[in-house]
Amino acid sequence: MRDVLKNYQFASPKKSKKKKWKLWLSISSLAVCFLLLILLVKVVLSWPGLNVQKFAVTNGSQIENKYILSAVTNQMLQSRLRALLGPRNILFWGLGGKPSEPQNLPEIANVSISANLFGRNVSIDATPRVPFGVICESTSTNCFVFDQKGVVFSSSPDVKGPLILKVNDMTGRNIVLGQNILPESVWRDNFFGILQSLKNASFTAANISFDDFSSREWSVNLLNGPVFYFSFDSTPDNLSYILANLSARLDFKKATYIDFRVPGRIYYK
């Protein structure tokens, strides 16, 4: 029996107690470090030396500075870390990415935020949207101003004459501030690209009409000229050259319409 027992090794209870003691020591050390970290964070958050001393807002719009500051602050508070710091802490403004477009302020095209950590100053530069044209609902008397990207940013009275580009929206929708005049980015690119080609060819638009979007078509009524029909889905290749060529061959004052809706084809009457 003794010979058999010699072949076996028995675990010592002392070693088991030693392992438990090391585990308890490790857990206790981690808990202490965690408490110290929380204490350090609280000290940082409450230290007056990190309080913002000055907010400076450069603003070329009619929106009051306090509304711009409020909009930007609310956007940045969506970050959990920033929410923990609070907007009175300079680190709130100095760390991490910053919004470039304020929410709920369509009149502002973009904002630039910079923070001087040592001087504890925050500067916000707000750039207003530049009017490009006016779009009017066909089902009401509501008109709105939009910029060169198509973003609707303020209400407007109805306009007449060629000095201000006017879009008659025949889609039956209700236009909302902050919305784009066209729902698809490809449509927007084609629309503004064609308008630029018309301008380059010295054509002046009396007004523009958006038909039902299901037809994917729009038209331009030229001042002292025919109606041009276009598709939202495509832009005629070399449109500037085509327009110059048509000007030399056709008497636009006698033409009724010119149709560019079919790629590679031009129809006119």
Side-chain angles (χ1 to χ4, degrees), residues 180-208:
N180 203 288
I181 61 172
L182 291 171
E184 298 184 21
S185 59
V186 173
W187 291 12
R188 296 193 289 269
D189 292 341
N190 291 336
F191 174 70
F192 285 103
I194 289 173
L195 290 184
Q196 185 60 50
S197 295
L198 292 175
K199 182 179 179 181
N200 294 340
S202 300
F203 286 101
T204 302
N207 58 73
I208 293 171

Side-chain angles (χ1 to χ4, degrees), residues 165-230:
L165 181 69
K166 179 181 178 180
V167 176
N168 296 309
D169 188 271
M170 313 298 288
T171 63
R173 60 177 170 164
N174 293 321
I175 297 173
V176 179
L177 293 178
Q179 182 185 60
N180 203 288
I181 61 172
L182 291 171
E184 298 184 21
S185 59
V186 173
W187 291 12
R188 296 193 289 269
D189 292 341
N190 291 336
F191 174 70
F192 285 103
I194 289 173
L195 290 184
Q196 185 60 50
S197 295
L198 292 175
K199 182 179 179 181
N200 294 340
S202 300
F203 286 101
T204 302
N207 58 73
I208 293 171
S209 294
F210 288 170
D211 296 326
D212 188 334
F213 282 151
S214 61
S215 67
R216 314 173 82 86
E217 298 171 355
W218 61 287
S219 60
V220 179
N221 291 283
L222 295 182
L223 186 67
N224 299 322
V227 178
F228 283 0
Y229 293 102
F230 296 100

